Amino acid sequence: MALIVQKYGGTSVGDMERINAVADKVARMHAQGHDLVVVVSAMSGETDRLLKLAGSAHSSPPARELDVLLATGEQTTIALLSMVLAKHGVDARSYTGHQVHIRTDNVHGKARIVDIDDKRVRGDLKKGRVVVIAGFQGVDEEGNITTLGRGGSDTTAVAMAAALKADECQIYTDVDGVYTTDPRIVPEARRLDRITVEEMLELASLGTKVLQIRAVEFAGKYHVPLRVLSSFEEGPGTLITYKENEMEAPLISGIAFNRDEAKLTIRGVPDQPGVAYRILGEIAGGNINVDMIVQNVGADGTTDFTFTVHRNDFGKAENILKRLGEELSAREVVGDDKIVKISVVGVGMRSHAGIASAMFKALADEGINIQMISTSEIKISVVVEEKYLELGVRALHSAFGLEKAAQSAS
Ligand code: ADP
Ligand code: ASP
Ligand code: MG
C-alpha cells in the first residue's frame, strides 16, 4: 500500500457538498489501505475575502497580523473536512502548519519552508489515521504564523511529500491536469500526459497558476512523484517527469501568460558606466523585483531603459523612477500597467531554430505589436498590450499546432 499526499484546492473544497465529495474519495482510498495525508486550501474565495477584510481594517496591514488572519481560511477547511471524515467513520486528525512543525523563514506573506518535522504525522499514520493539514501556512523560528504566498498549499503538499518520502503527491484541482495553455482562454487546449519538471518550472514562473512555482522547485529538488488531477472526475491527470527524452520532446509544450506585470521606461539618461546600476539599484533598494530589462543602443550620448515589475509595485517603482529622472536629467519617464507577458515554453526549443520567428509571425499576422522580448534556452517571452492577451495566446496556440496530438514542425 502506498503513502500518498493529496492536496485539494479552493474550488475542490468550495462548499459542504464539495467537502463531502472529497471526504468520500479520501475514505475510499483509506479503506483500500493507503496511508493518506490530505492538505487543503481555504474554501474558494475565502482568502480574497480575508484580504479585503484586512484592507478595511488598515490600508497597509501589518504583515504579521495579515498572516494570522489569512491562515484562518485553511484552518476552517481542515476542521470541516475532518468532521465529515469522522462522520464516514474515518479516524482523521486535523493540524495547522504550526502543529506539524512546518518551519519557515520569517518573510510574512511569502515565507519559504526550511524544514518539516514529520514525527507527529508519521505517528498518526502508524495508528491508521488520516492526517489533514492546513496548506499555505507555517511557523517561523519565533513561533509566528507565516503564509507561503498565493497558491502556497501546493507547496505545503509537495514539501510534506518530500519530507515523508511519499509514493506520490497528488494535486487535485478544478482542471484534469496541466494543459498546453489555460483552458479558460483556449477551449481547444490539450491536457498533457506528462511534462518535464524543467518545463513546469518555466510555465509556473511565467504565470501558469495551476502549480505554485515553489511547489515545482521542491518537487525538482527532491524528485517528488507529482501529479495534477481533477477533483471532479477520474482520470490520469498530468505527471511531472524528471527525465527528459530529447527525441520525443515536443517543440513547444505550453503557452503561459502573466497579467501581473507593468512596464516602466526612462528615456534620455546619460550613456555612461554606472547608470544602469543607479537605476536598477534604487528599484531593488525599494524591495521591488525587476523581471525583463531592455537598454536601447545609445545615441547622442544618451540611452533609454525599459523594465517590467509586478503590477502591485508599479506606483512605487514609478515614484522612484520619477525622482531618478530628475536627478539624472532624463528626457522623460513613462509607465504602462496595461501590458501582459506571453511566453512559449518547450525543451524541444533547445535543438530547433526558428521558434522565435514563428512566434513573431503569428503575432504579426494578428496585428499584435511586440513591445519587449526576452529569451532563454527553453522559452521566449514577449510583452504586448493587455487587450491582445486572449488573441495572442490563441494565435500562438494554433500556430504551434498545440491543439492537435501531433506537433507541427516550424
Ligand atoms: P486550486 O484552487 O485548485 O489551487 P488554481 O486556480 O490555483 O486551483 O489552479 C487551477 C487553474 O489554473 C485552472 O482553473 C486554470 O484556469 C488555470 N490554468 C492556467 N494555466 C493552466 C494550464 N496550462 N493548465 C491547466 N490549468 C491552467
Ligand atoms: N488559500 C491560498 C490562496 O488562495 C493558498 C492556496 O489556495 O493554495 O492563495
Ligand atoms: Mg492553486
Side-chain angles (χ1 to χ4, degrees), residues 7 151 154 209-210:
K7 177 255 172 176
D154 298 335
K209 288 183 178 132
V210 66

Side-chain angles (χ1 to χ4, degrees), residues 175-196:
V175 274
D176 65 343
V178 179
Y179 276 66
T180 46
T181 194
D182 190 342
R184 284 181 215 242
I185 301 270
V186 182
E188 298 79 23
R190 188 168 45 86
R191 183 180 57 79
L192 301 164
D193 285 326
R194 357 175 99 225
I195 185 165
T196 65

Side-chain angles (χ1 to χ4, degrees), residues 231-384:
S231 61
F232 297 88
E233 53 191 86
E234 296 289 319
T238 299
L239 182 70
I240 314 301
T241 62
Y242 300 97
K243 267 199 218 116
E244 153 183 333
N245 184 345
E246 288 283 358
M247 293 301 286
E248 287 174 14
L251 229 41
I252 302 298
S253 290
I255 296 170
F257 53 85
N258 190 347
R259 290 187 170 98
D260 296 334
E261 298 211 13
K263 187 180 79 163
L264 290 145
T265 302
I266 182 164
R267 280 196 237 284
V269 293
D271 193 8
Q272 286 165 7
V275 171
Y277 167 66
R278 175 95 189 267
I279 297 169
L280 297 166
E282 294 255 358
I283 297 291
N287 234 333
I288 299 170
N289 285 327
V290 170
D291 181 20
M292 285 186 183
I293 307 171
V294 172
Q295 180 185 345
N296 285 357
V297 176
D300 310 325
T302 69
T303 188
D304 309 335
F305 278 96
T306 302
F307 55 90
T308 62
V309 297
H310 195 284
R311 241 181 239 192
N312 291 347
D313 293 327
F314 179 61
K316 199 168 155 197
E318 198 172 34
N319 286 338
I320 295 176
L321 211 57
K322 280 194 173 137
R323 176 173 52 72
L324 270 172
E326 280 173 26
E327 290 172 21
L328 293 167
S329 311
R331 202 157 53 244
E332 64 173 341
V333 168
V334 280
D336 183 358
D337 63 352
K338 300 273 180 299
I339 55 132
V340 290
K341 183 170 74 176
I342 305 179
S343 312
V344 298
V345 172
V347 289
M349 223 184 263
R350 264 205 279 261
S351 47
H352 277 267
I355 305 289
S357 62
M359 179 180 192
F360 303 158
K361 177 174 189 309
L363 295 171
D365 286 348
E366 299 293 342
I368 301 173
N369 187 44
I370 299 169
Q371 304 181 6
M372 294 172 85
I373 300 168
S374 93
T375 64
S376 78
E377 252 198 314
I378 65 162
K379 73 116 202 279
I380 303 169
S381 301
V382 296
V383 167
V384 302

Side-chain angles (χ1 to χ4, degrees), residues 146-258:
T146 55
T147 64
L148 312 180
R150 299 309 301 266
S153 299
D154 298 335
T155 304
T156 305
V158 177
M160 236 342 152
L164 293 165
K165 300 192 177 57
D167 295 296
E168 187 159 282
C169 181
Q170 304 173 337
I171 305 289
Y172 287 93
T173 182
D174 56 3
V175 274
D176 65 343
V178 179
Y179 276 66
T180 46
T181 194
D182 190 342
R184 284 181 215 242
I185 301 270
V186 182
E188 298 79 23
R190 188 168 45 86
R191 183 180 57 79
L192 301 164
D193 285 326
R194 357 175 99 225
I195 185 165
T196 65
V197 71
E198 207 184 352
E199 287 168 312
M200 196 60 240
L201 208 52
E202 200 74 65
L203 286 173
S205 80
L206 294 168
T208 301
K209 288 183 178 132
V210 66
L211 283 177
Q212 198 198 34
I213 179 154
R214 283 182 182 167
V216 189
E217 283 170 1
F218 248 103
K221 193 162 170 196
Y222 298 100
H223 284 209
V224 176
L226 178 62
R227 199 181 281 277
V228 177
L229 303 134
S230 164
S231 61
F232 297 88
E233 53 191 86
E234 296 289 319
T238 299
L239 182 70
I240 314 301
T241 62
Y242 300 97
K243 267 199 218 116
E244 153 183 333
N245 184 345
E246 288 283 358
M247 293 301 286
E248 287 174 14
L251 229 41
I252 302 298
S253 290
I255 296 170
F257 53 85
N258 190 347

